[in-house]
Amino acid sequence: MNQDRRGINTICTHAGELEDKEYKGSVSPLYMGSSYAFEEVDIKRYPRYFNTPNQEALCEKIAALEHAGSALIFGSGMAAISTALMAFLQAGDHIVLQQTLYGGTYNFVVTQLEKYGISYSFTEGWQAEDFERELRPNTKVIYIETPSNPLLTITDMTAVAKLAQKHDLVSMIDNTFASPVNQNPIDFGIDVVIHSATKYMGGHSDICAGTVACSTAYRDQIWQTAICFGGSLSDYTVWLLERSIKTMGVRVKAQNENAQKLAEFLVEKDEVDEVYYPGLPTHPSHALAKAQMNGFGGMLSFELKEGLDASEFMKCLRLIKPSMSLAGVESTMLLPVKTSHALMSAEDRAKQGIKDGLIRFSVGIEETEDLIIDIEQALKQVKSKTVLT
Ligand SMILES: *Cc1c(COP(=O)(O)O)cnc(C)c1O
């Protein structure tokens, strides 16, 4: 277990810093070498071995952030997810995954696993009993996402971790939506914590990366697979990611605060039907979220009243950008039915409760009042247009 129990902002800023011994610069020096002398060193350093100086230093920060023994950094969230899964699965094995899964992970599972002889099941719901129902004698991995995309469901991590321990399974979580600032699953017994660092860790919509945090024994197992798949991140981007994470605590706390205020504002609007945010006392798992999260996060979703066109509403926004990705310092919105969940059948979407008018909102760090003004004016416009037609 990583012993760095300093506060989140201190870890973000200082954990795993590389000292500039030569010039005493105040930031980690960047070592871009792809070739290192092998004499008198017992490890062969090489970018695809995940062990250059900058990679190792950033891994220390990631491990500290997630209270893990070790970490690995990848070229994307999907490289981290696919490598971690393949490290623990082989022909004849079975995996149970949460039904409300990130689209890329879902695609990986349904298009890749079968050809390796690995079978899979998706849960009906998102609690431990839903996972238990899908277990088979050859199940090896349980995979969860909490809060989930786009409806922000909350899964009880302790219950899932206990289930995994009871059956000797590896439990994995995609912790991207929460970020390490708001949720540390290892404290609740989850084995492997994965992030798309493209999101809150990067935070400025300009880096694509992924991370895995876990025990050193599990890290070594994932490492073996990682070296074969080769999904490492360039040292320059590793260095940029270190810089980004320095402000992650400050950014995410501001996003938590903004999201809470905006959720409360949206609940009060006549034009809005439903608001999904774990920080609202009316969220069905509010108490659970409070128990296992340090903050409720910067992601929320809402539905416009029947008859109000969500696409039209999005077109009327002036400050908030329509955008595919999430977790940047800038506020963005998207329609899951047109983007992240477009490939899913209407029937499957209905099963998951994703309505056509659902809007996913990634709340940024702008002044709350400016975001409210933007939403107010867009609602007003879409309402007047609806009356006219
Ligand atoms: C974006 C995302 C991923 C995939 O990450 P990439 O960096 O795009 O490969 C995985 N899980 C979640 C929840 C995400 O939002």
Side-chain angles (χ1 to χ4, degrees):
M1 180 69 80
N2 193 291
Q3 293 305 310
D4 194 341
R5 288 302 171 112
R6 294 176 289 180
I8 184 76
N9 285 330
T10 315
I11 292 175
C12 282
T13 316
H14 291 296
E17 275 173 303
L18 277 180
E19 195 186 337
D20 179 356
K21 293 198 178 93
E22 209 171 355
Y23 298 107
K24 311 284 177 218
S26 53
V27 302
S28 296
L30 167 58
Y31 298 101
M32 285 295 287
S34 64
S35 175
Y36 290 83
F38 52 77
E39 292 139 45
E40 294 168 41
V41 284
D42 43 6
I43 25 165
K44 297 183 200 79
R45 286 194 195 277
Y46 186 57
R48 186 176 46 77
Y49 293 170
F50 295 78
N51 62 1
T52 58
N54 289 90
Q55 286 181 86
E56 285 188 344
L58 186 57
C59 283
E60 226 179 277
K61 196 192 285 292
I62 306 292
L65 282 168
E66 281 296 6
H67 308 165
S70 295
L72 283 170
I73 303 151
F74 292 84
S76 69
M78 279 316 300
I81 291 166
S82 55
T83 307
L85 286 175
M86 296 316 282
F88 293 101
L89 293 167
Q90 59 185 41
D93 288 348
H94 173 255
I95 174 173
V96 181
L97 305 107
Q98 192 167 317
Q99 156 229 67
T100 49
L101 212 54
Y102 174 72
T105 311
Y106 177 82
N107 273 344
F108 174 75
V109 168
V110 301
T111 66
Q112 302 299 311
L113 290 189
E114 241 164 7
K115 64 190 187 195
Y116 295 101
I118 299 158
S119 55
Y120 54 85
S121 308
F122 294 106
T123 57
E124 286 276 331
W126 48 85
Q127 293 308 346
E129 57 266 28
D130 299 298
F131 287 89
E132 189 159 26
R133 213 170 294 131
E134 303 298 333
L135 293 185
R136 296 181 191 170
N138 57 338
T139 306
K140 293 286 155 57
V141 175
I142 293 184
Y143 189 100
I144 64 170
E145 277 188 37
T146 180
S148 74
N149 178 28
L151 292 174
L152 290 307
T153 63
I154 305 292
T155 299
D156 186 333
M157 292 189 288
T158 308
V160 168
K162 279 197 181 133
L163 178 69
Q165 280 152 13
K166 186 172 147 199
H167 296 275
D168 208 14
L169 314 172
V170 178
S171 54
M172 289 190 194
I173 183 170
D174 183 330
N175 202 30
T176 302
F177 263 42
S179 91
V181 180
N182 289 328
Q183 185 166 279
N184 302 118
I186 285 174
D187 293 347
F188 298 87
I190 300 291
D191 296 314
V192 180
V193 181
I194 303 172
H195 285 277
S196 167
T198 312
K199 313 297 164 53
Y200 286 104
M201 287 192 187
H204 296 74
S205 310
D206 55 7
I207 282 176
C208 184
T211 68
V212 168
C214 53
S215 68
T216 303
Y218 278 164
R219 191 276 315 261
D220 287 347
Q221 190 167 342
I222 298 168
W223 198 359
Q224 295 305 317
T225 305
I227 288 170
C228 297
F229 283 173
S232 56
L233 184 66
S234 104
D235 279 300
Y236 180 63
T237 314
V238 168
W239 183 84
L240 280 178
L241 186 56
E242 185 201 347
R243 187 178 78 163
S244 296
I245 294 176
K246 286 182 189 187
T247 58
M248 178 172 64
V250 175
R251 281 189 274 110
V252 170
K253 284 178 195 178
Q255 284 165 309
N256 288 347
E257 251 179 62
N258 255 355
Q260 181 74 40
K261 286 184 193 152
L262 284 154
E264 286 165 8
F265 156 77
L266 287 165
V267 160
E268 295 298 324
K269 296 305 291 178
D270 288 339
E271 299 90 341
V272 174
D273 234 356
E274 193 78 56
V275 181
Y276 303 89
Y277 185 63
L280 291 174
T282 48
H283 186 287
S285 301
H286 175 64
L288 175 60
K290 207 167 171 178
Q292 65 183 22
M293 300 180 81
N294 313 316
F296 298 112
M299 299 298 301
L300 64 93
S301 291
F302 61 98
E303 281 155 14
L304 294 186
K305 275 254 150 65
E306 190 88 17
L308 292 179
D309 188 331
S311 301
E312 210 42 55
F313 165 78
M314 300 258 298
K315 279 183 206 150
C316 295
L317 293 165
R318 289 176 191 150
L319 178 65
I320 301 165
K321 290 179 184 154
S323 165
M324 257 318 261
S325 203
L326 60 105
V329 290
E330 69 283 3
S331 289
T332 62
M333 284 187 188
L334 63 70
L335 295 174
V337 67
K338 295 251 168 83
T339 53
S340 56
H341 293 68
L343 294 176
M344 197 179 263
S345 71
E347 192 192 345
D348 282 348
R349 272 198 305 267
K351 233 190 331 191
Q352 290 198 11
I354 301 166
K355 296 189 183 157
D356 288 358
L358 185 76
I359 298 167
R360 192 189 77 185
F361 188 1
S362 171
V363 182
I365 63 167
E366 301 93 336
E367 296 299 327
T368 323
E369 194 50 38
D370 292 329
L371 295 171
I372 286 177
I373 289 169
D374 195 29
I375 295 170
E376 289 271 22
Q377 65 83 22
L379 284 176
K380 209 166 169 183
Q381 278 194 63
V382 76
K383 226 166 111 185
S384 68
K385 279 179 190 164
T386 310
V387 173
L388 286 174
T389 50

